[in-house]
Amino acid sequence: MKLLTLARDLHRRKAREKHSLFIAEGVRSVEELLRSGLAVRGALVAPQLASAPRGEALRRQLDQSRVEVSEVSEKDFRSAAETESPQGVIAIGEVPTRSLDTLDIPLVCRILVLDAVQDPGNVGTIVRTAAALGATATIALPGTVDLWNPKVIRSSMGAQFYHSAFHADWASLSRLLDAEKIELWAADARGDPVDRARAVKRLAIVVGNEGSGLSAEIRARADRTISLPIATSVESLNVAVAAGIILHELRP
């Protein structure tokens, strides 16, 4: 399959799952992908890359890395791009093999769990924040947007290239929590104030859907619910903001 056709197809989740491939668009994302060491299948380059900041340097880097590069017209490039002002570069990467079975869990850990978080911008921000604050992994439960969605990758600035972020089902995660003796704390407005909570060594923290919050399964399984003490005039915080504050408060 030609790189241009493949890049267009990979905007669909089914295609990404079928091929185990994703696209990274823009200079910063492609730079991070090349730096990460993940396998790169190829790249699309359009004339506007030469005028983008660091564009010429990135093109040289692509050539030196021996990645297959397909030069396309600006019109064709736009058919594969998602951004309003494309920078002229898209790379196709291979989704790394990650799962609960291969997850290395240290004696002290913080695992972030996404319970049907659907907005790509929120999920990307959460993944980058989890990586920055030293979370062992970010696990997306069913109903959560694809972690390899192009918008998630742009929002995370490629954090999932090196941070252990992957999808898993609830039954498998629940078994892992039991086997590894990891407590499950769930973020909920009616929970205990997080600034008064004394974190245990092994901890999984769940944040829920932007509208409906936590699922019934999570509520039933949680060892504890925690909340952020905020002004009564504000109903709630954005889920990405809340996740960042909670991770910071409960960091080891």
Side-chain angles (χ1 to χ4, degrees):
M1 186 182 294
K2 291 183 179 180
L3 290 177
L4 179 60
T5 304
L6 182 58
R8 290 169 177 159
D9 197 31
L10 290 175
H11 285 284
R12 300 184 301 115
R13 183 169 186 164
K14 286 185 178 180
R16 293 192 296 271
E17 292 175 347
K18 175 184 177 181
H19 299 291
S20 293
L21 298 173
F22 65 91
I23 58 174
E25 181 181 345
V27 172
R28 179 66 180 272
S29 291
V30 176
E31 286 176 340
E32 290 293 332
L33 177 56
L34 293 175
R35 189 177 297 120
S36 72
L38 294 185
V40 180
R41 182 69 58 87
L44 297 176
V45 170
Q48 60 263 46
L49 178 62
S51 60
R54 307 196 303 271
E56 291 185 356
L58 177 57
R59 178 54 198 267
R60 289 193 299 271
Q61 188 178 358
L62 286 168
D63 291 337
Q64 291 167 2
S65 62
R66 298 183 180 179
V67 170
E68 179 186 353
V69 176
S70 177
E71 295 187 356
V72 298
S73 68
E74 182 175 347
K75 180 180 178 181
D76 282 342
F77 187 88
R78 286 185 177 275
S79 71
E82 266 200 346
T83 56
E84 293 184 5
S85 302
Q87 294 181 321
V89 63
I90 291 174
I92 298 173
E94 297 183 10
V95 176
T97 302
R98 296 170 181 158
S99 69
L100 294 174
D101 292 333
T102 61
L103 182 61
D104 183 19
I105 304 174
L107 292 176
V108 178
C109 70
R110 297 292 180 265
I111 296 173
L112 185 62
V113 180
L114 309 184
D115 182 20
V117 183
Q118 297 178 337
D119 182 79
N122 284 339
V123 171
T125 300
I126 288 170
V127 170
R128 186 164 183 81
T129 303
L133 294 178
T136 302
T138 298
I139 299 172
L141 296 178
T144 299
V145 68
D146 181 18
L147 295 173
W148 299 96
N149 178 302
K151 292 180 180 177
V152 175
I153 291 174
R154 287 202 305 278
S155 296
S156 73
M157 300 177 75
Q160 61 269 68
F161 300 160
Y162 51 88
H163 173 63
S164 185
F166 57 92
H167 293 265
D169 63 85
W170 168 238
S172 298
L173 176 59
S174 185
R175 288 194 295 270
L176 177 75
L177 297 177
D178 289 337
E180 297 290 341
K181 295 181 172 52
I182 301 171
E183 285 197 18
L184 184 71
W185 290 13
D188 184 84
R190 292 166 290 185
D192 301 324
V194 69
D195 56 347
R196 300 179 187 174
R198 187 171 182 177
V200 296
K201 289 184 177 181
R202 286 187 157 190
L203 180 61
I205 303 157
V206 190
V207 293
N209 177 269
E210 292 91 341
S212 57
L214 300 167
S215 62
E217 293 85 355
I218 293 293
R219 291 184 183 278
R221 174 63 175 75
D223 297 294
R224 185 175 188 176
T225 56
I226 52 174
S227 66
L228 290 173
I230 59 176
T232 55
S233 58
V234 178
E235 181 181 356
S236 63
L237 290 176
N238 170 276
V239 64
V241 173
I245 296 172
I246 290 171
L247 280 173
H248 189 270
E249 284 284 346
L250 297 177
R251 67 194 186 283

